Amino acid sequence: MTELPETPRPSQGPGEVAVVYAGDYVNKMSGQRIERECLTRMERGCRALVINFRDTELVNSIGVSILLGVIDEAERRGARVAFSNVSLHTLKLFELLGLTRLVVLADREEDALATLEEFSTTPPGH
Amino acid sequence: MPVRTPRQRRVLARVAPEQFVGRGEQLRELTALGSARAEQKGLLLFAAPQSGVSELLRQTFDELFRQRGGPTPVYFAFARTDAATTAAARRFLQTFLTQVVAHRRDDPALVSATPTLRTLLDLAAPQDYEWVERLVQDFERAQGEGDERALVRLCLGAPQQAAAHGARAFVMFDDIHAAEGLHGEVALGPAVAQAAAQWGAPFVIAGPRRRLLDLLNGSLPLAALEGLRRLHLDRLKEADARALVEGLAQRLGVALNDETRDLVVQQLEASPYLINAILDAARAKGAGLTSFREFQGLYVDELLGGRVGRRYASVLEDVAATPALRRGLLRVLYESAAHPTGKVPAEVWMKRLGADALEFERVVRLLHMHELASFHATYVETTPSTPWRDFLRVSYRLQVAAEPRALVVADTLVEALKRAPQTMARHYRRESALGLADVLRAFNFQRVPASLLRYDRWARAYRGLAREEAQAGLSAETDALPLPQVVHAASCASFHPPIAQLCDEERCTVAHGFESGAYNAGGEVVWLAVEVESKLEAGRALAELWLERLEQVAQACGFDRVRFWLVAREGFSGEAAELLSERDVYSSGREQLEHLTALLSGAGAGGSGEADEFAIELPMTEDAELIAAHTVEQIARRMEFEPEAINKIKTALVEACINAAEHSLSTERKIYNRFRVEGDKLVITVSSRGLSVPVTLPENGVPADKNGGGEGTKGRRGWGLKLIRTLMDDVEFERVDDGTRLRMTKYLRK
């Protein structure tokens, strides 16, 4: 299992979009790292999150449960979540477990950012 | 010419020294006591029932006999068959002289012979002839005079006579309780203690621990026994009992597998006697112990007509001599065992037995001594030992209820088989408990980072961090929590029995202690700690429920100053952690507990595969399932599965491994994977020992449990099996005695 890459620095300010990169195997430990990263970003004011699965080969059900927790937390805070670069197999798994109904899906990170950009600049409540 | 003792030859011992397991420490202590360098002192050996105390003493005898050079080892067991004190005293004198002469001549064969006193005189070494002759003559004179007291005094004084002439002996008295109740003027137990204290040589007095304790507090001369070392012999440790089963099976040629071995140890409560009986029975019948069914068949036979049944029956005969009293006793024992608390008032016992106060007192005292029941002045409680209660049940049905034997056999066998998985499950749960009592006992006024007992803080600062990172953070923490010193920790159920209905005994602990160095009322505190069962983070409702229960315990027990500590393996949900923080309740997850334990301690499916079958054994560690996934990927590629199918197989296998690791509570912590290529299909089996994985998990979560666990998880878990069924073509659970075996098949053509 490779280490989780660092989240790019530009996404720091309130109202901005953060990108978090998942590792090659999303299990309990790496899921918790994603969760931790996402919570930190949201605490700093991010209102939109992109989780990029470009390196992900395998996801297990514990990893999925943690991702669901992240989605719940984002929803509670009024933030949106997008998944990008999801492999076909992982996508089917997400579909099977009902995740795809809860997030924005994008083929590429840029597409996800573009979709969420508009949301993040809209003041809460609008 | 006597034959010299071969190095490992057995003299009195019934098993070879290398097969005598689990008593190394006690054997060393006893042989040291009987060695040439030992200072003069005695030892009282308190033995638990069926703990193998006699074999320990016989092994000690053999070891000292082989060592030579030191005092002569003498082993003597009192027996009720002696009937009279004079007979017992005479047998002691003969045993003593036989073993002394045998040792001095280095003639082990003489030990098991029964020479007359005159023959012993002929065999005595020249330097011993004079004192042996005088002893024999004095004995014959005392016997002729009919002076019982003088005779007993003379016989028990033999070691002193021998020592005075340079023949020092180390006498080991076994079954001291059997010295009671012998007919005669002299109370033999006190006489033995009195005499031994005057020998000027080391000695051992061994007996059932409860009786020995009673004797010490009653009839034995305390002054004579003051300052003696006390050694306690408990049941074998489980690892030793497993080694005993394996060793016996190998020696007796009985086929055995690990699962059945473990059940034997659990069900027979690690008793060396019962284990020997079952293994002997297996050998005699040419049976194996390779399945639960085989074992239970032997067990039921042993209960109904084998050594086990005879042993219990013989104790009952000893306790209740007449058939009528024995039937009455069987009835009350059976009824009190069937009672929810196992306890029945003493008056009810007396009435049901139809015995007067004296007879009743004798019966319960003997039952108490054999630890078949406990007498607590106002009530009697049948001991909750599985083999004993099984014996009571079959004996009651056969002898009191007069049910057909075939029906009793069949019912007992069926019940034993049904109970086996529960027995193992209880064992696994006990083994997997986090051991809160031990953690509490280690507190000892130490100061630890507050995050270790405050889950909300832990989650904020350390959740998701590697162990080393968390360790570094904890070391830097400045907010330290002072812990009390725990002076007594025991299961919550032993204070408040109703709690046993709600959780395993070892998962809820009450610890009494002091918060400051001075032992005064102001510093007294009681910690109530519970390991909450929850597969995921424990939710608020569950935390509230347990707080309520602990408050009830505190109130019922009258604890004034209490501190609650909730521990959940996966920690607590945000809401639960918030609640616990608000209520000033300590809370920890497994990782915190691991750090805390380290800090407190000061430590900063095998089988022969064919060419188309592959097998790997994985440890239940983080990410081990990836190794299985990569292995199966290579095999599936070779079979030319499509990439999509390969991904499905990998994911299903990962889920199966996770299920095994999460549900089994396996103590060996291994997952066995087998991959078999069968024409156009790949068959994968994933097995593990331990608890069975629930076959019928609810679609959206963990199975409901008695705690309502899973609350707060919002149905996010428990998808493993559903996923596996979706990803693979055929999925089924195979029946195994212990644990779970999941078989998954993927076809090439689909």
Side-chain angles (χ1 to χ4, degrees):
Chain A
M1 192 178 68
T2 55
E3 281 300 304
L4 194 71
E6 280 294 311
T7 303
R9 289 290 142 198
S11 313
Q12 295 289 318
E16 290 185 2
V17 184
V19 182
V20 176
Y21 293 88
D24 56 352
Y25 178 33
V26 179
N27 61 354
K28 181 181 172 185
M29 183 59 87
S30 66
Q32 285 181 348
R33 282 179 180 271
I34 294 170
E35 179 188 40
R36 185 178 177 79
E37 194 70 23
C38 290
L39 292 179
T40 306
R41 297 295 169 190
M42 285 191 280
E43 277 165 10
R44 289 179 189 167
C46 278
R47 294 194 48 241
L49 293 162
V50 176
I51 303 177
N52 186 327
F53 291 92
R54 68 182 184 194
D55 299 317
T56 303
E57 286 179 26
L58 211 52
V59 179
N60 73 24
S61 59
I62 303 178
V64 170
S65 73
I66 295 170
L67 291 175
L68 268 174
V70 172
I71 294 166
D72 282 351
E73 186 60 24
E75 188 183 7
R76 203 177 65 78
R77 293 170 183 250
R80 291 191 74 183
V81 180
F83 287 178
S84 77
N85 304 75
V86 185
S87 72
L88 190 61
H89 172 67
T90 304
L91 187 62
K92 285 190 175 172
L93 189 71
F94 287 166
E95 274 175 2
L96 195 64
L97 299 176
L99 264 77
T100 49
R101 288 183 279 114
L102 306 171
V103 296
V104 173
L105 283 167
D107 288 341
R108 298 178 306 144
E109 182 181 314
E110 296 76 21
D111 299 336
L113 285 169
T115 308
L116 294 183
E117 193 68 34
E118 187 184 341
F119 172 80
S120 69
T121 52
T122 307
H126 288 257
Chain B
M1 276 290 287
V3 180
R4 289 196 67 79
T5 319
R7 189 71 197 127
Q8 292 297 316
R9 179 167 172 180
R10 280 188 279 144
V11 186
L12 283 179
R14 296 188 182 161
V15 299
E18 65 274 14
Q19 286 160 348
F20 184 62
V21 297
R23 300 296 190 208
E25 199 180 313
Q26 293 89 347
L27 186 60
R28 274 191 294 281
E29 179 159 352
L30 289 172
T31 48
L33 187 64
S35 72
R37 295 179 302 278
E39 294 170 21
Q40 173 207 335
K41 59 183 172 185
L43 182 145
L44 297 174
L45 186 46
F46 292 77
Q50 301 171 356
S51 57
V53 64
S54 299
E55 184 60 17
L56 171 65
L57 295 176
R58 290 192 292 260
Q59 290 283 342
T60 306
F61 176 94
D62 282 16
E63 180 62 29
L64 292 169
F65 201 100
R66 284 190 293 265
Q67 278 180 9
R68 322 282 317 151
T72 295
V74 174
Y75 171 79
F76 179 77
F78 286 99
R80 292 202 190 284
T81 48
D82 284 326
T85 50
T86 46
R90 183 195 159 101
R91 194 166 61 81
F92 170 72
L93 178 67
Q94 172 150 18
T95 305
F96 176 79
L97 286 177
T98 305
Q99 294 181 7
V100 168
V101 171
H103 183 252
R104 304 277 276 184
R105 289 166 55 92
D106 194 10
D107 182 3
L110 184 60
V111 174
S112 50
T114 48
T116 63
L117 293 178
R118 284 286 159 188
T119 309
L120 283 169
L121 188 56
D122 293 342
L123 293 171
Q127 69 270 28
D128 295 330
Y129 190 87
E130 193 183 333
W131 68 264
V132 174
E133 185 185 37
R134 187 176 306 158
L135 203 53
V136 171
Q137 286 171 350
D138 289 349
F139 171 76
E140 288 168 347
R141 192 178 310 114
Q143 200 172 29
E145 289 168 359
D147 185 345
E148 182 185 323
R149 288 182 182 278
L151 187 78
V152 170
R153 196 165 50 244
L154 178 96
C155 293
L156 294 180
Q160 196 173 9
Q161 290 292 322
H165 293 87
R168 203 157 168 258
F170 168 49
V171 182
M172 294 173 278
F173 287 108
D174 194 6
D175 292 335
I176 188 72
H177 63 289
E180 296 178 274
L182 297 176
H183 299 300
E185 296 169 17
V186 183
L188 205 51
V192 164
Q194 199 74 58
Q198 293 169 357
W199 287 341
F203 64 92
V204 173
I205 295 177
R209 55 188 176 189
R210 284 185 176 177
R211 192 62 203 141
L212 206 46
L213 206 59
D214 286 347
L215 289 173
L216 274 178
N217 294 325
S219 57
L220 287 188
L222 266 184
L225 301 174
E226 258 176 23
L228 294 190
R229 165 102 174 94
R230 296 181 185 196
L231 186 63
H232 292 265
L233 197 66
D234 288 317
R235 277 184 195 161
L236 281 181
K237 289 177 185 154
E238 287 186 1
D240 292 327
R242 284 196 293 271
L244 174 64
V245 177
E246 284 171 1
L248 281 171
Q250 193 177 20
R251 184 155 58 90
L252 302 174
V254 174
L256 175 77
N257 67 8
D258 290 355
E259 292 85 346
T260 313
R261 174 203 62 196
D262 290 355
L263 180 65
V264 168
V265 170
Q266 294 306 315
Q267 189 166 314
L268 302 184
E269 297 164 350
S271 155
Y273 178 83
L274 297 178
I275 288 170
N276 268 287
I278 288 290
L279 267 292
D280 264 350
R283 179 194 51 79
K285 292 181 179 172
L289 286 170
T290 56
S291 71
F292 286 6
R293 189 179 153 195
E294 281 179 312
F295 165 55
Q296 301 297 10
L298 284 165
Y299 174 74
V300 172
D301 287 349
E302 274 296 294
L303 275 183
L304 281 133
R307 260 172 69 187
V308 175
R310 285 201 300 276
R311 166 92 168 214
Y312 285 129
S314 132
V315 174
L316 280 187
E317 280 168 24
D318 192 27
V319 172
T322 65
L325 183 61
R326 210 151 49 239
R327 266 199 305 281
L329 183 59
L330 259 182
R331 184 191 293 274
V332 287
L333 280 166
Y334 171 76
E335 285 170 356
S336 71
H339 192 271
T341 62
K343 297 173 185 171
V344 170
E347 296 79 16
V348 175
W349 262 66
M350 263 178 78
K351 196 173 169 188
R352 300 300 302 268
L353 277 176
D356 58 23
L358 206 63
E359 182 70 1
F360 168 75
E361 194 271 338
R362 198 190 76 84
V363 166
V364 291
R365 184 173 56 79
L366 287 172
L367 287 173
H368 186 83
M369 178 187 78
H370 288 291
E371 299 191 24
L372 298 176
S374 298
F375 181 41
H376 303 281
T378 55
Y379 63 89
V380 186
E381 181 181 12
T382 306
T383 302
S385 148
T386 301
W388 166 234
R389 290 200 170 187
D390 284 345
F391 169 80
L392 282 180
R393 202 171 298 115
V394 297
S395 302
Y396 174 83
R397 291 181 65 183
L398 288 172
Q399 296 171 33
V400 181
E403 291 185 45
R405 188 177 178 85
L407 178 64
V408 175
V409 171
D411 281 354
T412 310
L413 184 56
V414 167
E415 285 307 313
L417 276 165
K418 277 159 48 184
R419 186 181 57 197
Q422 293 160 21
T423 302
M424 293 307 294
R426 175 81 187 92
H427 161 63
Y428 290 125
R429 280 201 298 273
R430 196 171 58 233
E431 291 293 306
S432 70
L434 294 169
L436 292 180
D438 288 339
V439 178
L440 286 158
R441 287 187 195 105
F443 275 7
N444 202 24
F445 297 134
Q446 297 189 62
R447 296 174 75 85
V448 296
S451 300
L452 293 178
L453 291 159
R454 300 280 193 194
Y455 187 77
D456 53 338
R457 293 192 196 183
W458 169 269
R460 274 200 303 275
Y462 306 112
R463 192 177 139 94
L465 292 186
R467 186 179 170 83
E468 295 73 21
E469 290 176 275
Q471 176 72 52
L474 288 167
S475 303
E477 262 191 37
T478 52
D479 187 7
L481 205 65
L483 299 175
Q485 182 186 64
V486 168
V487 294
H488 180 268
S491 76
C492 196
S494 53
F495 287 87
H496 187 63
I499 204 82
Q501 305 296 319
L502 304 171
C503 73
D504 293 330
E505 194 176 358
E506 49 284 317
R507 291 180 197 266
C508 190
T509 301
V510 173
H512 284 73
F514 293 90
E515 285 183 334
S516 59
Y519 295 144
N520 56 39
E524 264 183 65
V525 68
V526 180
W527 277 51
L528 278 82
V530 65
E531 184 186 336
V532 175
E533 267 191 68
S534 178
K535 192 178 159 193
L536 290 173
E537 291 177 336
R540 183 183 174 102
L542 188 57
E544 271 181 327
L545 180 66
W546 268 105
L547 277 182
E548 201 177 302
R549 287 171 178 170
L550 295 184
E551 278 164 1
Q552 283 170 2
V553 172
Q555 196 175 11
C557 296
F559 299 146
D560 286 336
R561 288 190 61 222
V562 291
R563 164 65 71 182
F564 298 142
W565 184 23
L566 266 56
V567 179
R569 281 181 180 268
E570 299 300 327
F572 297 85
S573 70
E575 287 180 339
E578 197 179 343
L579 167 82
L580 296 171
S581 177
E582 280 169 13
R583 305 268 294 269
D584 195 22
V585 170
Y586 289 152
S587 52
S588 307
R590 189 194 55 218
E591 286 175 87
Q592 286 162 281
L593 205 63
E594 285 170 2
H595 283 285
L596 181 62
T597 307
L599 208 62
L600 293 174
S601 68
S608 58
E610 296 171 14
D612 56 355
E613 184 171 283
F614 308 85
I616 58 170
E617 182 183 306
L618 300 171
M620 287 181 181
T621 53
E622 186 81 20
D623 289 350
E625 68 275 11
L626 267 186
I627 294 167
H630 290 146
T631 305
V632 82
E633 182 175 11
Q634 296 303 317
I635 297 167
R637 272 191 190 161
R638 246 173 53 163
M639 290 179 72
E640 299 184 344
F641 272 101
E642 295 291 329
E644 188 186 341
I646 294 175
N647 277 327
K648 287 181 176 177
I649 295 169
K650 284 167 66 181
T651 304
L653 180 56
V654 162
E655 292 302 325
C657 291
I658 291 172
N659 267 356
E662 280 201 328
H663 288 278
S664 68
L665 301 184
S666 165
T667 47
E668 64 168 19
R669 311 289 301 155
K670 284 179 185 167
I671 303 168
Y672 303 95
N673 289 335
R674 190 177 287 269
F675 312 106
R676 188 174 179 88
V677 180
E678 293 181 8
D680 67 339
K681 64 183 180 187
L682 174 61
V683 181
I684 303 168
T685 55
V686 178
S687 49
S688 60
R689 295 195 51 203
L691 294 186
S692 297
V693 173
V695 179
T696 52
L697 287 171
E699 283 302 297
N700 65 340
V702 295
D705 61 38
K706 57 191 174 187
N707 295 310
E711 182 274 330
T713 62
K714 298 176 187 171
R716 285 189 218 134
R717 292 295 313 282
W719 297 320
L721 193 56
K722 181 184 169 187
L723 264 180
I724 293 167
R725 290 195 195 282
T726 307
L727 299 168
M728 300 297 278
D729 295 326
D730 289 330
V731 177
E732 62 176 313
F733 284 95
E734 294 181 347
R735 204 205 76 79
V736 285
D737 272 344
D738 183 44
T740 303
R741 186 187 296 153
L742 181 66
R743 179 185 160 103
M744 310 181 285
T745 306
K746 192 76 178 169
Y747 292 90
L748 262 174
R749 65 175 187 277
K750 286 193 179 175

